[in-house]
Amino acid sequence: MKFELATDKTPAGDQPQAIEKLVKGLQAGAEHQTLLGVTGSGKTFTVANIINAVQKPTLVIAHNKTLAAQLAQEYRDFFPNNAVHYFVSYYDYYQPEAYMPVSDTYIEKEAQINKEIDRLRHASTQALLTRRDVIIVASVSCIYGLGSPAEYEKVHKKIERGFKTTRADMLRLLVSMYFERTTADLEPGHFRAVGNTVEVMPTNEKVIYRLNFMGDEVSSITKIDATTRAIVEEPETFYLFPAKHFVTPEAERARAIADIKLELDEQLRRFNKDGKLLEAERLKRRTEHDLALIREIGYCNGIENYSRHFDGRQVDEPPYTLLDYFPHKADGTPDFLTVIDESHVTIPQLGGMYAGDRARKETLVEYGFRLPSAKDNRPLKFNEFEANVGQRIYTSATPGKYEYEKAETTGFPMVEQIIRPTGLVDPEIDLRPIVEKGSYPGQVKDFIDEAVKVIGEGARVLTTVLTKQMAEDLAEFLEGKGIKTKYIHSDVETLERIEILTDFRKGVFDCLVGVNLLREGLDLPEVELVAILDADKTGFLRSETALIQTIGRAARNVNGRVILYADIVTPALKYAIEETNRRRDKQLAYNAEHGITPQTIKKEIKSIADQLRSDHDETVGTLLKVDLELYKKNPRKVITEKRRQMNEAVAILDFETAAIIRDEIRALEESGKRKK
């Protein structure tokens, strides 16, 4: 399939010239191009037009999960008939394995995996291996080890009606593909067998495929809704990919085990020679335990630390990552487009991942917690990343040194996109003191007075502080003053952050307090006032780039304005104010010349979290249609029966079904109230 841009919008402002220049650059073979687009100038729409023009699979890299979720939703809106997927770290909580020699403290790896995000990761890799009209919006987790795409694809199976296999052989096949058997409700990556049927839930979608067996063949296939158990269709065929990304064939597994044993013997000799008897015993016990598990079930916790042996890689050879799942030409060169969003932040992130991981692993190896090959379970070095992506477009309102150097050395100058299609101009800036003096109440009280005025007009307020604790304390203080407020920072879980931002746009609350997380790429057109507290505190959060990005949060609303609270004008403040005013003057001149009246951006409020909840809501709706007629005849009997079913589900810890029944009860009772 081809990319098909589905929108009534047409490029406007600076967008047409930006699209033309960047597409020409790609066609001329440009490896590095930068789109210098001010906040609210429609950089995502510009990139969508470029993707539509070049028709290449595209990787979009964002520097945090929240921004990636927002971008994924925007690209889904632009390309509803194509495959747009979300690929981020599947850990809601992650404490990496580490050892601190000074205090002799070993910290075991602790992780809380988000199963829904894991499903989305599998959906991403499976789309890349089966079609070309794919956009993957990813965080920097895309440069971490993922397992060989060749082996992952090799193990996948085409299951079709008439497929020659017995029920017993199918069970063995599923186990070899790392699916787990269960007798309880199915979840992605699990299967169960009842009589002459086998039911399996793939890793990439929330449906069940029921395989009916007759003799030594699959006699029929039924696709079933995982929650309602309603039959969706009876397909002739479907494709089943392995349940884990780290896949190793039986023959390769035996070779890998032998290689691991050789490395273990060599490392034990080294430790014994150096008199490190404790380290030798520790390493021997752990590695042999892991090998026993791998030999018996093909998997162990932390198996990624042995990935070099399973992949057959050499020492320090880069691991397979998401980048390897994208298409490559016959000579091995990448055949996809890479867009690095908010590149001034994302590029340094990509460049800094390797060093931190390496230092931690070297300590683990030195003290016998891991084999030396564990160091090759790592993110890509920056030069490896550069070699594994093809043509790149960097997008930012404040490009960094790297982007300027590439623009200077490649002969492809930066493409400016300063004029917004809406005619909106950069916000006016008001500089006010921090400290209370005379009749002036100080920054917090002054901010409260301004916030109350803006909220009274039905708009939203955004404020940034310097620490997580300050964000939480200020949110609590504002709540006490009657302002509906929430905070957001990096400790708030991924999907909860997305939901908070969506609720903010919907007006569930009026004031959002944040730290660094709020700077780049958040599209909040309802915000009329942005307040930066302690704007004169020198540091990363108050650098030139950070200030310009934060100021830009008010540039999507015609009444947008910014208050900078500062007692001194630092060089960063001076630059941010002057650059904002330069852009504002240019925008006002363009509007005057073309007779444009600025208008606030009107944007439908959507969230990727809505998609994650859609299965639940759809199921409630389906059940409601079935039960509504019965409810009209005998409301009390239906509600009593539904509550009994809900309690039974809770008793067996099936909370998902219980939540569905609970919401159906609420919907039935609401329908009864409306009738009265």
Side-chain angles (χ1 to χ4, degrees):
M1 294 177 66
K2 288 188 174 182
F3 284 108
E4 183 182 335
L5 184 59
T7 178
D8 295 331
K9 290 172 62 179
T10 55
D14 271 354
Q15 290 174 343
Q17 59 87 26
I19 294 166
E20 182 183 1
K21 288 178 182 177
L22 291 166
V23 169
K24 281 184 176 178
L26 292 171
Q27 292 170 344
E31 291 291 318
H32 305 269
Q33 295 187 94
T34 298
L35 174 62
L36 195 166
V38 297
T39 300
S41 63
K43 295 189 287 293
T44 306
F45 182 56
T46 296
V47 172
N49 277 273
I50 293 167
I51 294 171
N52 194 55
V54 300
Q55 291 290 318
K56 280 190 172 186
T58 302
L59 170 64
V60 180
I61 307 178
H63 65 88
N64 68 53
K65 294 178 179 181
T66 308
L67 177 55
Q70 178 182 303
L71 289 170
Q73 187 58 60
E74 289 181 2
Y75 283 114
R76 283 197 184 101
D77 291 342
F78 290 136
F79 297 102
N81 301 317
N82 304 111
V84 179
H85 291 285
Y86 178 62
F87 186 96
V88 298
S89 168
Y90 55 22
Y91 296 121
D92 276 337
Y93 171 76
Y94 181 62
Q95 170 61 61
E97 181 184 25
Y99 178 67
M100 294 179 286
V102 174
S103 57
D104 188 27
T105 304
Y106 171 69
I107 302 171
E108 195 166 356
K109 175 182 172 180
E110 186 180 349
Q112 182 180 338
I113 292 176
N114 186 306
K115 292 180 180 178
E116 183 62 24
I117 292 178
D118 188 33
R119 183 182 70 80
L120 295 175
R121 286 165 65 92
H122 279 281
S124 298
T125 52
Q126 291 175 28
L128 286 170
L129 295 175
T130 55
R131 56 197 295 178
R132 279 187 62 86
D133 60 324
V134 181
I135 299 171
I136 306 294
V137 183
S139 65
V140 293
S141 63
C142 67
I143 68 168
Y144 279 77
L146 193 61
S148 167
E151 296 299 337
Y152 183 75
E153 185 175 23
K154 192 187 298 180
V155 173
H156 92 281
K157 290 291 180 184
K158 179 182 180 182
I159 311 295
E160 56 188 339
R161 192 160 63 87
F163 182 63
K164 296 294 182 183
T165 185
T166 65
R167 174 183 173 278
D169 285 341
M170 176 57 72
L171 299 184
R172 281 190 282 270
L173 172 65
L174 290 170
V175 170
S176 73
M177 296 175 70
Y178 303 100
F179 281 81
E180 295 181 33
R181 187 169 184 172
T182 182
T183 55
D185 287 338
L186 288 176
E187 56 186 45
H190 288 68
F191 72 93
R192 63 187 171 201
V194 181
N196 288 326
T197 66
V198 174
E199 294 183 339
V200 58
M201 185 181 288
T203 51
N204 65 320
E205 54 182 337
K206 284 188 173 179
V207 296
I208 296 169
Y209 287 96
R210 177 185 289 161
L211 310 179
N212 293 299
F213 288 84
M214 187 174 290
D216 62 350
E217 73 173 30
V218 176
S219 59
S220 66
I221 301 171
T222 309
K223 186 177 181 180
I224 302 170
D225 184 284
T227 309
T228 66
R229 305 291 296 182
I231 295 175
V232 178
E233 61 174 323
E234 295 187 357
E236 289 291 309
T237 183
F238 73 98
Y239 289 89
L240 195 63
F241 280 80
K244 298 184 185 297
H245 281 111
F246 289 93
V247 175
T248 309
E250 191 72 40
E252 289 295 302
R253 189 188 306 168
R255 178 199 53 76
I257 289 173
D259 288 348
I260 294 169
K261 288 180 71 176
L262 285 173
E263 186 189 15
L264 173 62
D265 292 342
E266 183 180 338
Q267 187 69 352
L268 290 177
R269 282 195 297 272
R270 187 178 297 118
F271 277 152
N272 288 324
K273 181 182 176 182
D274 295 340
K276 293 185 172 182
L277 303 182
L278 174 62
E279 288 82 353
E281 176 58 29
R282 179 186 289 150
L283 184 65
K284 183 174 185 290
R285 185 172 62 250
R286 177 173 209 162
T287 308
E288 288 182 346
H289 175 262
D290 287 348
L291 285 173
L293 286 172
I294 293 169
R295 195 178 293 110
E296 291 300 319
I297 63 174
Y299 196 78
C300 73
N301 287 330
I303 193 171
E304 62 274 9
N305 289 291
Y306 305 106
S307 60
R308 190 187 85 196
H309 296 291
F310 287 102
D311 295 340
R313 289 183 282 124
Q314 299 300 311
V315 176
D316 205 36
E317 191 176 342
Y320 292 109
T321 66
L322 177 68
L323 307 181
D324 295 292
Y325 286 75
F326 278 86
H328 288 68
K329 297 176 183 176
D331 62 359
T333 57
D335 187 24
F336 61 97
L337 175 65
T338 300
V339 177
I340 302 182
D341 196 76
E342 302 296 349
S343 56
H344 62 284
V345 176
T346 310
I347 290 290
Q349 270 196 7
L350 290 166
M353 293 292 138
Y354 173 78
D357 182 83
R358 183 75 175 190
R360 181 173 56 83
K361 294 278 179 57
E362 283 181 344
T363 303
L364 288 168
V365 170
E366 182 182 351
Y367 287 91
F369 290 95
R370 287 291 173 193
L371 289 171
S373 56
K375 290 186 282 189
D376 290 319
N377 167 43
R378 59 174 176 81
L380 296 177
K381 300 173 185 175
F382 190 67
N383 65 314
E384 293 168 343
F385 165 77
E386 289 188 300
N388 275 278
V389 292
Q391 294 179 295
R392 275 145 278 175
I393 294 176
Y394 312 104
T395 68
S396 175
T398 52
K401 182 181 177 182
Y402 178 86
E403 297 92 297
Y404 277 106
E405 286 177 352
K406 293 299 181 185
E408 197 173 307
T409 58
T410 61
F412 289 92
M414 292 202 178
V415 177
E416 279 200 345
Q417 189 170 291
I418 291 178
I419 307 302
R420 298 181 175 90
T422 54
L424 285 170
V425 299
D426 278 28
E428 290 185 352
I429 295 177
D430 190 356
L431 193 62
R432 300 185 185 181
I434 296 172
V435 179
E436 178 182 353
K437 189 175 182 180
S439 61
Y440 179 72
Q443 64 176 357
V444 174
K445 290 182 180 177
D446 182 74
F447 164 66
I448 291 173
D449 291 341
E450 294 292 339
V452 168
K453 294 175 191 173
V454 170
I455 293 167
E457 296 295 324
R460 313 284 186 276
V461 178
L462 182 66
T463 182
T464 60
V465 293
L466 291 170
T467 67
K468 296 174 188 177
Q469 189 62 53
M470 289 171 69
E472 295 176 14
D473 291 345
L474 180 59
E476 184 180 353
F477 182 76
L478 294 174
E479 278 284 344
K481 294 295 182 182
I483 298 173
K484 289 187 286 186
T485 307
K486 286 195 176 183
Y487 67 83
I488 188 170
H489 54 58
S490 58
D491 285 349
V492 179
E493 291 184 359
T494 307
L495 296 181
E496 187 182 350
R497 292 202 297 267
I498 299 166
E499 290 177 351
I500 288 172
L501 290 168
T502 305
D503 286 346
F504 182 50
R505 291 197 60 204
K506 288 178 178 177
V508 176
F509 62 97
D510 302 309
C511 179
L512 183 61
V513 184
V515 196
N516 187 33
L517 188 63
L518 294 176
R519 294 191 295 109
E520 289 90 4
L522 295 178
D523 196 351
L524 306 168
E526 296 77 17
V527 171
E528 276 192 13
L529 174 64
V530 171
I532 304 177
L533 304 187
D534 301 304
D536 59 0
K537 299 297 184 285
T538 302
F540 172 70
L541 294 176
R542 299 295 181 261
S543 64
E544 297 170 358
T545 297
L547 289 168
I548 290 175
Q549 288 286 348
T550 309
I551 288 167
R553 297 314 107 212
R556 287 176 166 87
N557 190 298
V558 71
N559 298 315
R561 60 192 179 93
V562 176
I563 302 176
L564 302 176
Y565 290 99
D567 290 327
I568 59 172
V569 179
T570 63
L573 271 172
K574 184 174 184 293
Y575 175 85
I577 293 169
E578 289 177 352
E579 176 62 13
T580 300
N581 289 337
R582 180 189 76 83
R583 296 177 182 181
R584 179 180 170 84
D585 291 344
K586 187 174 181 179
Q587 293 153 354
L588 288 169
Y590 181 90
N591 287 351
E593 182 183 345
H594 294 84
I596 295 173
T597 301
Q599 295 180 344
T600 298
I601 292 173
K602 301 295 182 186
K603 193 164 189 177
E604 188 178 354
I605 301 172
K606 286 187 176 183
S607 165
I608 193 172
D610 294 339
Q611 178 196 340
L612 304 185
R613 289 190 296 262
S614 62
D615 290 343
H616 175 95
D617 297 339
E618 190 176 322
T619 302
V620 172
T622 302
L623 292 173
L624 192 61
K625 288 177 184 176
V626 174
D627 294 327
L628 198 54
E629 290 303 314
L630 294 173
Y631 178 78
K632 289 176 182 176
K633 294 176 183 177
N634 193 334
R636 182 178 295 178
K637 182 178 179 181
V638 171
I639 294 297
T640 301
E641 173 61 18
K642 287 292 171 186
R643 285 188 174 140
R644 184 189 67 77
Q645 293 173 3
M646 180 177 70
N647 292 333
E648 283 184 355
V650 170
I652 61 172
L653 306 182
D654 183 4
F655 298 113
E656 184 175 331
T657 299
I660 289 168
I661 298 171
R662 176 203 64 197
D663 290 348
E664 189 198 0
I665 292 171
R666 288 176 181 171
L668 287 168
E669 290 175 339
E670 281 297 317
S671 71
K673 290 177 184 176
R674 287 195 296 271
K675 188 177 178 181
K676 291 178 183 178

